[in-house]
Amino acid sequence: MHREFQLITCEDAMSRYQIHTKIYESEAAFLDMESNDSYFYIHTGDLHLQGDFVLDTDTLEDAPDGRPILGFLIIGNLEVEGSILNETGDYGPILYVAGNVSCRHLLIGGSPVRVTGNISAAEVIMLHYNHGWMQCDGTFTAPVMIVEDYYLMPAAKDISLFYYNDRDPESPADNACEESEDGDDIISPKLRALLNNTLTTDFEELRRDLAAGESVLQRQEQPASYWQQKVRKNWHDLKRVPLELRTQALCEEVLRTSVGALAYFPEDMLTPELAAAAVAKDGKALRYLPSEMITRELCYAAARNGAILRTDIPESFYEHALLCLIIKGADWQMEQVPRAFMTEDMFVLYVKAGRGAWLDRYCEQAGLSKQRILERVIADDIAYLENIFNWHLSATTYAFAQKRYDCPEYEEAWKNITERFARKIARLNVSPSS
């Protein structure tokens, strides 16, 4: 595609086309964000492109002299047979068109875009995320226009089927998103009814289809091979595979990528054997299983494989041994342990497993002695002095450790640990050795 363009220095673009006054909110913003020591691609005259026009900074190579290319200037009309695609919400190349734009889809995220004429899309115009900037001096025309978390109030628009703009008071109320039980946005039923896949329920899924250059409004049945490629790119798309094509083989392939795929398995595929295999792969699989399938044995297996308290393991299965198994593998999960299960033994394990950063607070909640717990940790093995001296060193803990290990049996280990922490020990005003 780049053979259609020539290079122009940023300074020449500013001098000849005043690009610095036409991109971003102001000239000052342009000069603050972009370097003069750079180039643009430029095409003079009307431009017709086959396929998609992808705006992607990460794949936009530098000029032959190593200087960066900021984007594309088209001094004329731009006609794209495919779509104009800037999927990345955080950033993207500049696109300036001194004329009209026509395409199948216009998907813009972080790219700064200025069009002096009209913008016409055969299917969808979608602007997403608040890092982008756009100005269209003419009229937006499309069947569907979506402006999601993006500041744009179109001065003129001709949107025939569906318009949604979460910052526009004139956006129709019945086009607004609904809220799921988990608090996530679900696109309006009016929009879902227009899409060729009614299992599409959020804007992220729709963006993926647009970014792939796919038609999203024209009714069509996709073959199994299409869905296989789709889920290989993003396992979440298993959710949108028609049930008759959501085969055992396809589901198991996706499961190898993520246990989250279990949420989209047909119910008759969820067996105890499958649940056990999934939990052995990742304990977080529990969160995607029906409650009636979760057993005590599965909870213990999940605890050994990264399960998270409350999120994965139901409180009805909590018991002291299970919680200790969790804390041993991830001490930060102590925060989720109910007060009723807090014991001295658990706190000893907590200190051994990591920093024991919140030991003071937990001991106060449970009415237990912090000093007693630290002394038990110290007494169990000299190896635990690493944690004690790092996070719980005091004159009292040092004195207890010294009494226990400053002896011929542990002479070398005691010498090594006290030398490593000599500066911290010195601040206690105690003798580092007897």
Side-chain angles (χ1 to χ4, degrees), residues 189-415:
K190 288 184 63 177
L191 178 56
R192 292 204 300 274
L194 295 172
L195 299 176
N196 57 25
N197 188 338
T198 57
L199 297 177
T200 299
T201 60
D202 63 49
F203 289 133
E204 183 177 350
E205 293 167 349
L206 180 57
R207 276 199 303 275
R208 289 202 294 271
D209 292 345
L210 298 179
E214 300 174 8
S215 172
V216 297
L217 300 183
Q218 297 176 13
R219 297 294 175 184
Q220 53 188 320
E221 291 188 8
Q222 299 288 5
S225 57
Y226 164 86
W227 287 111
Q228 187 174 52
Q229 293 302 315
K230 197 81 170 170
V231 299
R232 284 175 177 174
K233 290 180 180 178
N234 192 309
W235 65 265
H236 291 90
D237 281 327
L238 183 63
K239 162 183 169 284
R240 300 194 291 151
V241 178
L243 281 174
E244 63 272 17
L245 297 178
R246 217 177 294 182
T247 63
Q248 183 92 22
L250 182 65
C251 289
E252 290 181 358
E253 178 182 341
V254 181
L255 182 61
R256 288 193 287 272
T257 300
S258 172
V259 295
L262 289 169
Y264 311 129
F265 273 45
E267 288 186 12
D268 59 359
M269 288 187 194
L270 295 173
T271 64
E273 294 76 18
L274 177 72
V279 167
K281 171 182 170 65
D282 187 340
K284 299 179 185 64
L286 280 188
R287 72 183 66 174
Y288 305 107
L289 295 174
S291 58
E292 60 270 19
M293 291 193 70
I294 298 177
T295 64
R296 180 175 181 270
E297 291 72 21
L298 271 184
C299 288
Y300 270 87
R304 289 187 287 270
N305 289 289
I308 298 174
L309 293 176
R310 294 192 181 178
T311 303
D312 300 322
I313 298 179
E315 287 196 41
S316 58
F317 288 96
Y318 284 10
E319 56 189 45
H320 186 264
L322 176 66
L323 295 174
C324 284
L325 183 60
I326 290 276
I327 299 306
K328 185 177 181 180
D331 67 314
W332 57 269
Q333 295 209 57
M334 178 62 77
E335 186 66 24
Q336 303 301 328
V337 174
R339 161 69 186 84
F341 289 97
M342 292 181 177
T343 65
E344 190 174 283
D345 287 345
M346 183 178 289
F347 287 173
V348 168
L349 184 65
Y350 172 59
V351 175
K352 289 179 178 178
R355 294 173 55 182
W358 300 102
L359 182 62
D360 283 28
R361 176 157 62 88
Y362 297 142
C363 285
E364 183 177 347
Q365 290 174 4
L368 296 172
S369 166
K370 174 186 174 182
Q371 186 60 31
R372 164 68 181 162
I373 291 160
L374 294 177
E375 287 178 357
R376 282 188 56 186
V377 174
I378 294 169
D380 276 355
D381 197 301
I382 194 171
Y384 295 122
L385 292 188
E386 182 79 23
N387 286 10
I388 297 296
F389 283 13
N390 259 317
W391 313 112
H392 305 285
L393 184 62
S394 67
T396 306
T397 54
Y398 178 78
F400 188 87
Q402 185 180 43
K403 182 178 179 181
R404 173 74 175 82
Y405 295 113
D406 189 5
C407 60
E409 181 182 357
Y410 296 100
E411 180 178 2
E412 184 176 354
W414 176 253
K415 179 175 180 289

Side-chain angles (χ1 to χ4, degrees), residues 57-309:
T57 298
D58 296 333
T59 60
L60 191 62
E61 296 182 357
D62 291 340
D65 62 6
R67 288 188 282 177
I69 297 173
L70 300 181
F72 302 87
L73 312 180
I74 297 157
I75 313 305
N77 298 318
L78 172 61
E79 180 183 3
V80 181
E81 290 187 10
S83 301
I84 300 173
L85 303 173
N86 168 223
E87 184 179 9
T88 304
D90 288 317
Y91 52 84
I94 291 170
L95 176 62
Y96 173 75
V97 181
N100 300 318
V101 170
S102 63
C103 54
R104 171 188 277 184
H105 305 306
L106 177 69
L107 175 65
I108 297 296
S111 279
V113 177
R114 173 73 182 277
V115 177
T116 65
N118 302 315
I119 295 177
S120 175
E123 292 195 24
V124 177
I125 295 171
M126 187 175 194
L127 314 177
H128 66 100
Y129 201 46
N130 54 38
H131 284 192
W133 179 89
M134 169 179 272
Q135 180 176 326
C136 172
D137 301 349
T139 300
F140 288 95
T141 302
V144 173
M145 183 172 183
I146 297 163
V147 185
E148 179 208 6
D149 190 24
Y150 189 102
Y151 187 79
L152 178 84
M153 300 297 179
K157 62 182 184 297
D158 180 11
I159 309 302
S160 58
L161 297 179
F162 182 89
Y163 172 67
Y164 170 80
N165 186 336
D166 55 14
R167 302 194 184 197
D168 186 352
E170 296 184 4
S171 182
D174 56 354
N175 289 357
C177 293
E178 300 174 346
E179 189 172 298
S180 71
E181 293 180 359
D182 298 327
D184 298 322
D185 284 342
I186 300 175
I187 60 178
S188 164
K190 288 184 63 177
L191 178 56
R192 292 204 300 274
L194 295 172
L195 299 176
N196 57 25
N197 188 338
T198 57
L199 297 177
T200 299
T201 60
D202 63 49
F203 289 133
E204 183 177 350
E205 293 167 349
L206 180 57
R207 276 199 303 275
R208 289 202 294 271
D209 292 345
L210 298 179
E214 300 174 8
S215 172
V216 297
L217 300 183
Q218 297 176 13
R219 297 294 175 184
Q220 53 188 320
E221 291 188 8
Q222 299 288 5
S225 57
Y226 164 86
W227 287 111
Q228 187 174 52
Q229 293 302 315
K230 197 81 170 170
V231 299
R232 284 175 177 174
K233 290 180 180 178
N234 192 309
W235 65 265
H236 291 90
D237 281 327
L238 183 63
K239 162 183 169 284
R240 300 194 291 151
V241 178
L243 281 174
E244 63 272 17
L245 297 178
R246 217 177 294 182
T247 63
Q248 183 92 22
L250 182 65
C251 289
E252 290 181 358
E253 178 182 341
V254 181
L255 182 61
R256 288 193 287 272
T257 300
S258 172
V259 295
L262 289 169
Y264 311 129
F265 273 45
E267 288 186 12
D268 59 359
M269 288 187 194
L270 295 173
T271 64
E273 294 76 18
L274 177 72
V279 167
K281 171 182 170 65
D282 187 340
K284 299 179 185 64
L286 280 188
R287 72 183 66 174
Y288 305 107
L289 295 174
S291 58
E292 60 270 19
M293 291 193 70
I294 298 177
T295 64
R296 180 175 181 270
E297 291 72 21
L298 271 184
C299 288
Y300 270 87
R304 289 187 287 270
N305 289 289
I308 298 174
L309 293 176

